[in-house]
Amino acid sequence: MKQRIFSGEIMKRLLALVLSMLLFLCPSHAAWGQEPDIAVASDMVIRSEEAKTVNAEGGPSIQAPSALLMEASTGQVIYEKDADTKRSPASITKIMTLILIFDALDSGKIKMTDEVVTSAHAKSMGGSQVFLEEGETQTVETMIKCIVIASGNDASVAMAEHIAGNEPEFVNAMNKKAQALGMKNTHFVDCCGLTDSDDHYTTAYDIALMSRELIRKYPEILNYSSVWMDTITHNTRQGSKEFGLSNTNRLIRTYEGCVGLKTGSTSKAKFCVSAVAKRKGITLIAVVMAAPDSRTRVKDASMLFDYGFAKCSLYTDENPGKLPDLKVIKGIKEKTTLTFGKTFRCLSTDGTTFDKIKKKLILPNEVKAPVKKGQKAGELVYYQENRELGRIPVIYAENVKK
């Protein structure tokens, strides 16, 4: 990635002024390619060429060729380096596998207590594994532990077969999910990342997207990814024996606030990680790809976190106030109740603190029936020193017929 070095206080101020004007003119958009679940400050954008240059100058010195730092609740990219280059992800692949597993749990297709049978194909997996035997059964929850904590390739394949019937069908579902999440530079060949195929690739940005999906939609995953050591019991024809699981992510022990998420390494992919850390209400996702060794992987991710937590402050309005009822014309009720459609959160990445926040409620005086629950009625706009920070929708809380 090209980097420009500017000297002199005047040039730095000029660059900051130009950047702030560009950010003000650019509309915000969500990292998922759809409307975010929270409001984003109007002078922030998710990604921009200018932000890449500024981040490269003022950001951490990352040794890995590709890296990205994202704030999870807003999807705001805080730092990136060559984040769209396609690279082999190794076991980072399992993040998508876990998304589909939890999707299946969420839909009721499977349960945590279901027994999963290990096939000969699953047993044959090399690389990181928990040494499941052909015909051995483990519960879905145990398989999740094996995937998240010990990065078990055999457990990943066993779960893929349990959900989709066979691994290729499961991989098809992985690729469909990637497209749905806006992961435009991703294609999977297997469900565990063991392959050396050139057709199995993703990017640092796409990894952040799927990591964000997993931890926001299924935050319980962090209950597993934050475990350092655990045990499972193998029940086979040879009898029962305990097997220890050790987390492959050293950051959960070495970096304060780190709670996950997934590491990966092969000779082709080198050393990768998608790490998650929480401090003072802020959740950061740090992605490192193709680091030369495990020590560099940890160091780079730690530097990204340090940079992000030093730069970021997050304003969250958990109590926006009571909304008035709205007059309804020609309805079976004279008034309708209102509610807020989202929680307002605003991320600052320049060290700005949020104080003296003002709010402006924008509503019509009345509305004609019929009124549909969930439909937008108005907005609540947030300001700081006459600068708009963002807005959230006010929606109808009930249906009102004519």
Side-chain angles (χ1 to χ4, degrees):
M1 183 172 67
K2 294 181 179 179
Q3 300 183 11
R4 291 173 291 173
I5 301 175
F6 296 88
S7 60
E9 189 64 28
I10 295 177
M11 186 61 74
K12 289 181 181 177
R13 291 182 180 180
L14 180 60
L15 177 62
L17 177 62
V18 172
L19 177 59
S20 63
M21 293 175 64
L22 287 170
L23 290 176
F24 180 79
L25 293 172
C26 294
S28 298
H29 61 281
W32 284 351
Q34 57 187 357
E35 188 178 8
D37 292 334
I38 45 79
V40 180
S42 59
D43 63 342
M44 298 290 180
V45 293
I46 298 301
R47 305 179 79 192
S48 71
E49 292 299 322
E50 293 81 6
K52 292 178 188 179
T53 303
V54 171
N55 284 337
E57 289 175 7
S61 179
I62 301 301
Q63 294 184 47
S66 289
L68 184 137
L69 181 67
M70 176 184 285
E71 197 282 319
S73 69
T74 60
Q76 174 73 43
V77 174
I78 303 164
Y79 171 92
E80 62 180 293
K81 175 185 178 183
D82 201 19
D84 291 319
T85 295
K86 298 174 183 177
R87 300 183 187 277
S88 176
S91 286
I92 300 292
T93 300
K94 296 183 177 86
I95 292 175
M96 182 59 76
T97 298
L98 289 163
I99 291 174
L100 295 191
I101 291 172
F102 278 89
D103 280 350
L105 285 165
D106 188 51
S107 69
K109 183 177 181 179
I110 62 174
K111 300 189 297 293
M112 282 288 193
T113 54
D114 286 350
E115 295 286 335
V116 180
V117 181
T118 304
S119 69
H121 175 56
K123 178 188 181 300
S124 70
M125 293 296 105
S128 57
Q129 55 188 304
V130 293
F131 300 99
L132 298 170
E133 293 291 335
E134 181 180 356
E136 179 179 349
T137 61
Q138 296 286 353
T139 65
V140 167
E141 184 170 25
T142 298
M143 290 293 192
I144 290 172
K145 291 180 181 180
C146 293
I147 296 168
V148 179
I149 301 172
S151 197
N153 295 325
D154 44 2
S156 299
V157 174
M159 281 304 304
E161 293 173 338
H162 183 72
I163 292 172
N166 58 67
E167 187 181 6
E169 283 300 315
F170 188 84
V171 173
N172 286 338
M174 291 171 66
N175 285 318
K176 288 179 181 178
K177 188 72 172 184
Q179 290 301 307
L181 292 177
M183 298 167 61
K184 298 178 180 179
N185 294 305
T186 295
H187 184 262
F188 298 113
V189 170
D190 69 12
C191 68
C192 61
L194 187 61
T195 180
D196 283 332
S197 171
D198 290 337
D199 290 329
H200 189 92
Y201 55 80
T202 187
T203 67
Y205 179 66
D206 284 1
I207 288 173
L209 291 183
M210 67 174 175
S211 300
R212 182 176 184 243
E213 167 77 357
L214 180 58
I215 66 173
R216 293 187 72 219
K217 191 172 182 182
Y218 306 114
E220 61 268 31
I221 189 66
L222 301 177
N223 296 332
Y224 300 98
S225 63
S226 58
V227 173
W228 178 242
M229 298 187 75
D230 204 342
T231 59
I232 64 169
T233 301
H234 285 298
N235 293 304
T236 65
R237 284 171 291 184
Q238 285 75 35
S240 298
K241 60 179 179 180
E242 283 196 345
F243 181 82
L245 306 177
S246 297
N247 203 312
T248 58
N249 184 8
R250 285 175 49 203
L251 284 160
I252 66 171
R253 283 178 64 87
T254 62
Y255 194 87
E256 181 184 354
C258 185
V259 289
L261 181 62
K262 193 74 199 72
T263 63
S265 62
T266 62
S267 58
K268 182 181 180 67
K270 298 183 180 178
F271 291 84
C272 310
V273 67
S274 179
V276 176
K278 295 183 177 185
R279 286 185 186 176
K280 298 180 180 179
I282 296 173
T283 302
L284 298 179
I285 300 169
V287 179
V288 174
M289 296 192 77
D293 51 59
S294 60
R295 180 174 294 183
T296 302
R297 173 175 65 186
V298 170
K299 182 180 177 182
D300 282 353
S302 298
M303 290 179 68
L304 286 170
F305 282 144
D306 286 344
Y307 177 73
F309 286 123
K311 294 272 290 182
C312 290
S313 58
L314 185 66
Y315 170 76
T316 303
D317 188 8
E318 299 289 358
N319 186 25
K322 186 177 180 180
L323 288 167
D325 293 340
L326 192 61
K327 182 180 179 181
V328 180
I329 300 174
K330 296 181 179 180
I332 61 173
K333 294 179 64 176
E334 293 184 354
K335 294 182 179 180
T336 181
T337 54
L338 303 171
T339 188
F340 295 104
K342 298 176 181 179
T343 298
F344 181 80
R345 295 185 181 92
C346 183
L347 179 72
S348 168
T349 59
D350 61 3
T352 300
T353 57
F354 294 99
D355 53 12
K356 298 180 181 179
I357 303 296
K358 294 183 179 180
K359 310 172 193 177
K360 181 179 180 182
L361 182 62
I362 302 175
L363 286 174
N365 293 324
E366 57 191 26
V367 61
K368 289 184 178 180
V371 170
K372 186 176 180 181
K373 181 179 180 180
Q375 204 168 39
K376 185 176 177 180
E379 292 180 315
L380 182 64
V381 188
Y382 290 76
Y383 297 92
Q384 184 179 35
E385 297 179 352
N386 298 319
R387 179 174 66 96
E388 182 179 327
L389 297 176
R391 53 185 68 197
I392 56 174
V394 176
I395 60 176
Y396 298 111
E398 58 184 338
N399 294 316
V400 180
K401 296 180 181 180
K402 285 186 177 181

